[in-house]
Amino acid sequence: MGRGVGSRSGGGAAQPPWHSLPDEVWEHAFSFLPAAADRGAAAGACRGWLRAERRSRRRLAVANCYATSPRDAVERFPSVRAAEVKGKPHFADFGLVPPAWGAEAAPWVAAAADGWPLLEELSFKRMVVTDECLEMIAASFRNFQVLRLVSCEGFSTAGLAAITEGCRNLRELDLQENYIEDCSSHWLSSFPESFTSLETLNFSCLDGEVNFAVLERLVTRCHNLKTLKLNNAIPLDKVASLLRKAPHIVELGTGKFSADYHPDLFAKLEAAFAGCKSLRRLSGAWDAVPDYLSAFYGVCEGLTSLNLSYATVRGPELIKFISRCKNLQQLWVMDLIEDHGLAVVASTCSKLQELRVFPSDPFGAGQVLLTERGLVDVSASCPMLESVLYFCRRMTNEALITIAKNRPNFTCFRLCILEPRTPDYITQQSLDAGFSAIVESCKGLRRLSVSGLLTDLVFKSIGEHADRLEMLSIAFAGNSDLGLHYILSGCKSLKKLEIRDCPFGNKPLLANAAKLETMRSLWMSSCSLTLGACRQLAQKMPRLTVEIMNDPGRACPLDALPDESPVEKLYVYRTIAGPRSDTPDYVQIV
Amino acid sequence: MRGGPTLAASGPGEPPPAPAAAAEVVEENSGGEEELELGLSLGSKKQPPPPTPCRILTARDLHPAAALSPDSSVSSSSPAAASRRAKAEEEGPTAAASPGTIAAGHPQSFGVVGWPPIRAFRMNSLFGQAKDNASEAETKKTVADESDLHKDKEEGEKKGRAPGWVKVNMDGEVIGRKVDLNAHRSYKTLALALEIMFTKPSAGLCASNSTKSLKLLDNSSEYQLTYEDRDGDWMLVGDVPWEMFVGSVKRLRIMRASDANGLGARCQAIHRTAAATRGRP
């Protein structure tokens, strides 16, 4: 959304000829600008373009639900057909935001029901979605087609039943990692028998049982079904039956893939998979008996995406499987794959673009042999690799420098060394040199997470070199205020900054207050901030909302506290809506 | 006076990161009573150290060869975490023998909220509430271990299921039974009760004659007692402490031993209930 609305007057004696073109022409022209950033820029050119652009905008992404009020958003963009709204700060994923913080979807649904009757798609991430919201969605939008809920909570299967029953043109029901209360509601049965439009059905995060016969009938009659992600309640033999009914499936989530070995079940599965010629994406929570993995071999060649990050398959079977997946572009695995498994990935998956390696035992003593070597191998041999999320226990500057040299095309680099402040395990130095090499080499880097032992110097490098960096996550790093100052005074494109447990204080925050208005949000927790500085910041920057989070157990209201009081959690974001009115007790807007 | 970090001279063993020495080692925030003396200049301002310094320790401070001292810990700004860490360190150091293993392989970050940064959804799916427990959810523990650290808390459990009556099915029997787990205090009494339930009346209640006895807790018996846990996994009964079993059991099944063989193979480090400790291949 363009923030600065430049209103260049078209005054002057001779107006350019295009000023007389009707709005519809501009609207048509803008329809060729799919990227929101481009449309925003166009809207900033002049009033005429602003008017034409906003009236023709079809897709709206609100990255922070509090950046604007729902009514304003709906009024400004009256023709929206697809809206995506995100709520809680990212660190809420890790339990750093107490419950009842806010981010309710209800005001958005209400405003949309009023102003966007033709809405077709709605997507919520990290928000509180209630059953009433779902009922309202089902009742308000005649042509509703796509519902995507990611990391949300607050609803139950009863709400889902309202959707499945009421949305006659539903194409996608995509539930990713939500907390859904199981009311034993027959949401799946609520799809009418005449309903056939489903293309995507993802209920992998649902805990409860589903009526398999109903599911099978649904899958059979929805000929366009491309994506089917099952939950853990569906046993293996049923998976085989479903696949026979939907052989044109493109993406499959198998749910819990575990069973004792039976040769006839194996044969069933193998035959079912052999029939799935279009299968490209595979996921599931595999406790797979290794003997079953070979039932998949028929589809390996065609797979472009493999998500085994919930699968506890151990190294050797995993490697045999992956070594057949020559066309993989996206691979998510557990660290059970170990270094030698990643070496196989490196030599097999030449088209790999994204790799994520999750820890199987984050609190354990580290028996898994996954080290920096795995990442070095993959980045050396996979020329298209651009996105990495890597959990490991040790790292060296040399490895990072090698990675940086081999892979200057990283756009997303997230390294998490499990133990905070871990130094280079060979030299015992900080990892400043390694991460500096990353940002210096990868000019297109948009997202970065750093870890290990780091001093202020690494932030100097990041501030200077990471020109395209939009999101930066920092934990247990830095020595002084300088670190934060380097970031805020550099990093030209920074949008989201999240920091925890770093010795950063008030001065760099106040000195770079203006920078915060160019960013979407800033999160700082367990740093060295005081209340006084936050008050100052809020006073200085009226278009920022400065939220302080107290320990929910603490009774004392923030008003009464002196300036010197430490601030445990700070969340600052720009907004045109003013301070929100739905804060819980433990949040104070200064 | 304002709280905050102070610039201080580098501690011993901490060389300045670069000749320019732009950044110096800073004392961790120790309570907010120190004078804030801060400049953004790159000079080397030396301040007197605050009364209670807590240095940022690095692995170099820890002797890699020797066992990890229980006092060595990575400092954190959260005092509560330190006490949780102290508990976690009881489990003992890992063998630092393998070359290149980091000296601080000990899980010292344990107890810090939200670290490592793994989505809560993933944590719950894979590890249950393992975050709050000590990390010996591992396969190291032997069966009869009375581990007091296995505090299998129910807090945060989405479906607060009251322990009590659970279904019991036996292979070959169409009709199932129900047993009240609250009425038992150990596996022995449970096994006995089940045996009474499921052996044919003609065999008599006296189980001393082994021809009809199920011997449910005996590995070599024809039948094995298994249970479905919270995660939906079928596990062998008897591995974990009784209280933990009661907390996670959903239902029971008396399997024929041939069917139960597959269970032993599924020993994965991430399951809290360590089925692998039976040492099956």
Side-chain angles (χ1 to χ4, degrees):
Chain A
M1 296 205 308
R3 266 199 72 76
V5 176
S7 57
R8 223 170 286 142
S9 72
Q15 285 207 359
W18 57 78
H19 269 232
S20 56
L21 288 174
D23 278 354
E24 293 75 37
V25 176
W26 292 118
E27 289 175 24
H28 182 68
F30 294 144
S31 68
F32 293 98
L33 295 175
D38 292 336
R39 293 191 71 115
C46 65
R47 282 202 200 281
W49 280 22
L50 172 67
R51 196 175 55 234
E53 194 282 316
R54 70 176 192 86
R55 287 214 299 236
S56 61
R57 180 88 76 111
R58 284 281 190 268
R59 306 195 74 89
L60 184 65
V62 182
N64 175 5
C65 64
Y66 290 120
T68 173
S69 82
R71 304 256 157 217
D72 282 346
V74 169
E75 261 175 45
R76 178 164 167 144
F77 301 102
S79 308
V80 162
R81 297 276 191 272
E84 177 191 2
V85 186
K86 297 186 187 173
K88 299 182 206 170
H90 176 232
F91 274 359
D93 280 350
F94 315 131
L96 289 179
V97 175
W101 178 81
E104 309 249 339
W108 287 91
V109 176
D114 266 348
W116 292 332
L118 299 177
L119 190 69
E120 296 169 359
E121 292 184 27
L122 206 45
S123 174
F124 288 120
K125 183 168 183 178
R126 263 182 239 117
M127 295 186 72
V128 175
V129 179
T130 59
D131 285 345
E132 289 74 36
C133 289
L134 297 177
E135 283 156 22
M136 193 181 264
I137 291 172
S140 312
F141 308 114
R142 252 182 303 121
N143 197 25
F144 197 71
Q145 299 174 23
V146 173
L147 180 65
R148 193 172 306 118
L149 300 176
V150 181
S151 298
C152 295
E153 54 178 349
F155 63 104
S156 76
T157 47
L160 288 181
I163 295 283
T164 56
E165 188 179 9
C167 301
R168 295 305 157 105
N169 297 317
L170 196 68
R171 281 188 298 114
E172 292 185 28
L173 181 58
D174 189 1
L175 307 169
Q176 299 178 26
E177 299 197 342
N178 303 289
Y179 288 103
I180 306 176
E181 204 191 317
D182 186 6
C183 288
S184 303
S185 177
H186 302 292
W187 62 276
L188 202 56
S189 316
S190 298
F191 280 118
E193 286 298 320
S194 56
F195 173 82
T196 58
S197 50
L198 206 59
E199 293 170 20
T200 293
L201 180 61
N202 174 8
F203 59 97
S204 50
C205 58
L206 213 62
D207 261 337
E209 305 277 332
V210 293
N211 184 329
F212 183 75
V214 170
L215 177 63
E216 201 171 28
R217 280 203 305 276
L218 180 69
V219 165
T220 309
R221 68 179 185 270
C222 294
H223 300 293
N224 288 329
L225 192 67
K226 296 281 185 296
T227 296
L228 180 62
K229 296 174 97 166
L230 308 169
N231 72 350
N232 288 343
I234 313 268
L236 212 46
D237 56 331
K238 300 284 198 283
V239 172
S241 319
L242 283 174
L243 285 178
R244 277 201 310 276
K245 302 287 195 300
H248 35 267
I249 208 111
V250 173
E251 175 164 13
L252 176 69
T254 62
K256 201 128 202 163
F257 192 90
S258 71
D260 298 327
Y261 182 76
H262 289 294
D264 32 324
L265 181 49
F266 177 90
K268 265 179 88 175
L269 276 173
E270 197 179 34
F273 277 110
C276 295
K277 304 273 188 257
S278 312
L279 191 61
R280 296 285 171 267
R281 305 169 64 94
L282 190 58
S283 60
W286 298 3
D287 281 343
V289 173
D291 301 312
Y292 280 126
L293 289 186
S294 46
F296 284 96
Y297 282 175
V299 298
C300 285
E301 185 95 16
L303 287 183
T304 58
S305 165
L306 188 57
N307 178 358
L308 300 180
S309 61
Y310 286 92
T312 54
V313 187
R314 293 211 73 100
E317 292 74 40
L318 196 50
I319 291 170
K320 264 197 278 185
F321 188 87
I322 293 180
S323 62
R324 291 167 171 262
C325 301
K326 303 192 183 346
N327 289 307
L328 271 190
Q329 295 169 17
Q330 183 184 59
L331 176 62
W332 294 18
V333 276
M334 296 271 233
D335 59 3
L336 300 168
I337 194 173
E338 299 188 330
D339 282 344
H340 62 277
L342 285 179
V344 172
V345 170
S347 57
T348 310
C349 308
S350 55
K351 302 193 184 157
L352 195 67
Q353 295 173 21
E354 178 182 331
L355 174 69
R356 296 195 192 186
V357 180
F358 294 91
S360 56
D361 187 16
F363 304 108
Q367 301 299 315
V368 168
L369 292 170
L370 182 95
T371 70
E372 77 280 7
R373 266 221 32 235
L375 188 55
V376 170
D377 285 343
V378 175
S379 52
S381 308
C382 300
M384 294 163 64
L385 186 69
E386 56 174 41
S387 174
V388 156
L389 169 63
Y390 200 77
F391 284 84
C392 62
R393 292 197 149 80
R394 65 180 214 196
M395 188 52 59
T396 63
N397 282 311
E398 187 185 340
L400 284 172
I401 291 167
T402 307
I403 290 166
K405 202 156 46 129
N406 285 328
R407 249 347 81 229
N409 48 326
F410 274 128
T411 54
C412 170
F413 189 79
R414 295 191 280 166
L415 179 68
C416 178
I417 303 171
L418 286 167
E419 187 58 34
R421 304 196 188 91
T422 303
D424 178 321
Y425 75 92
I426 293 181
T427 66
Q428 302 307 323
Q429 299 263 321
S430 73
L431 291 173
D432 292 348
F435 278 105
S436 299
I438 295 283
V439 293
E440 281 166 38
S441 166
C442 306
K443 310 241 183 279
L445 197 66
R446 290 202 295 271
R447 185 164 179 187
L448 176 66
S449 296
V450 296
S451 58
L453 183 67
L454 295 167
T455 73
D456 291 340
L457 277 189
V458 74
F459 300 117
K460 184 160 190 270
S461 299
I462 295 174
E464 269 175 30
H465 296 280
D467 283 343
R468 301 256 178 88
L469 193 66
E470 295 177 4
M471 183 166 173
L472 177 61
S473 305
I474 307 172
F476 303 101
N479 325 85
S480 75
D481 286 358
L482 274 177
L484 182 56
H485 178 67
Y486 286 139
I487 299 290
L488 290 178
S489 56
C491 293
K492 299 194 183 104
S493 310
L494 195 63
K495 290 209 178 86
K496 274 169 75 169
L497 179 59
E498 45 188 26
I499 301 173
R500 63 163 295 173
D501 291 278
C502 296
F504 299 151
N506 299 324
K507 290 216 170 177
L509 199 62
L510 291 172
N512 294 286
K515 169 79 168 180
L516 297 180
E517 216 179 271
T518 69
M519 289 165 51
R520 188 184 306 159
S521 67
L522 166 69
W523 167 283
M524 285 178 73
S525 59
S526 304
C527 295
S528 306
L529 298 174
T530 64
L531 197 47
C534 298
R535 286 173 174 147
Q536 261 186 283
L537 179 66
Q539 216 176 15
K540 202 169 161 185
M541 309 290 301
R543 280 191 292 202
L544 293 180
T545 290
V546 180
E547 290 193 18
I548 313 281
M549 259 178 263
N550 258 345
D551 179 359
R554 202 194 300 182
C556 183
L558 276 168
D559 285 342
L561 292 176
D563 278 352
E564 302 78 50
S565 317
V567 164
E568 177 55 27
K569 290 177 184 158
L570 170 74
Y571 184 51
V572 181
Y573 51 90
R574 67 182 178 189
T575 178
I576 57 174
R580 62 182 175 118
S581 51
D582 61 350
T583 51
D585 290 338
Y586 59 84
V587 171
Q588 173 117 5
I589 296 177
V590 295
Chain B
M1 189 151 108
R2 297 159 118 223
T6 58
L7 290 174
S10 304
E14 275 285 341
E24 295 170 314
V25 174
V26 174
E27 309 308 309
E28 192 68 356
N29 182 17
S30 47
E33 289 300 292
E34 292 83 8
E35 193 77 48
L36 172 64
E37 179 54 69
L38 170 66
L40 292 175
S41 66
L42 304 186
S44 53
K45 269 209 174 95
K46 297 221 184 310
Q47 299 292 318
T52 54
C54 44
R55 235 156 37 95
I56 299 174
L57 299 174
T58 67
R60 219 167 345 103
D61 298 310
L62 311 168
H63 297 291
L68 291 170
S69 133
D71 292 327
S72 64
S73 65
V74 178
S75 55
S76 153
S77 49
S78 162
S83 57
R84 271 173 293 188
R85 264 201 305 280
K87 269 197 245 153
E89 282 162 20
E90 287 175 50
E91 69 164 89
T94 58
S98 51
T101 315
I102 191 160
H106 196 71
Q108 295 171 357
S109 62
F110 191 62
V112 177
V113 175
W115 190 266
I118 299 171
R119 274 196 182 174
F121 187 90
R122 175 176 293 276
M123 285 290 222
N124 289 337
S125 303
L126 291 170
F127 314 114
Q129 299 301 310
K131 267 200 330 157
D132 300 316
N133 300 343
S135 62
E136 63 275 272
E138 309 330 309
T139 55
K140 306 291 178 302
K141 290 285 178 184
T142 54
V143 173
D145 234 293
E146 282 303 302
S147 58
D148 52 331
L149 295 166
H150 264 296
K151 291 194 173 48
D152 193 19
K153 299 255 187 297
E154 297 287 343
E155 84 244 24
E157 175 62 43
K158 283 177 288 168
K159 306 189 194 151
R161 189 186 318 108
W165 294 94
V166 294
K167 292 187 199 168
V168 190
N169 287 86
M170 177 161 155
D171 283 353
E173 298 286 327
V174 175
I175 307 287
R177 301 294 300 267
K178 271 201 160 174
V179 65
D180 181 7
L181 292 178
N182 283 334
H184 298 277
R185 287 283 171 272
S186 74
Y187 291 119
K188 279 212 191 87
T189 60
L190 174 65
L192 192 56
L194 292 178
E195 203 159 320
I196 291 171
M197 264 189 209
F198 282 95
T199 45
K200 298 280 181 286
S202 57
L205 292 176
C206 182
S208 56
N209 193 334
S210 59
T211 49
K212 276 293 187 184
S213 164
L214 295 176
K215 285 213 189 82
L216 291 171
L217 296 178
D218 185 352
N219 282 7
S220 58
S221 151
E222 188 197 346
Y223 286 91
Q224 287 296 309
L225 183 56
T226 64
Y227 71 100
E228 187 184 17
D229 71 4
R230 260 208 301 269
D231 302 321
D233 298 332
W234 284 95
M235 315 294 289
L236 225 42
V237 163
D239 286 330
V240 300
W242 172 258
E243 300 75 37
M244 190 181 187
F245 163 75
V246 167
S248 59
V249 60
K250 269 169 51 175
R251 54 186 159 142
L252 296 163
R253 182 173 153 207
I254 301 173
M255 275 189 195
R256 288 207 186 82
S258 47
D259 289 342
N261 269 339
L263 285 176
R266 288 193 292 132
C267 61
Q268 305 293 349
I270 71 169
H271 286 307
R272 250 179 316 123
T273 52
T277 57
R278 288 196 169 244
R280 284 173 184 243

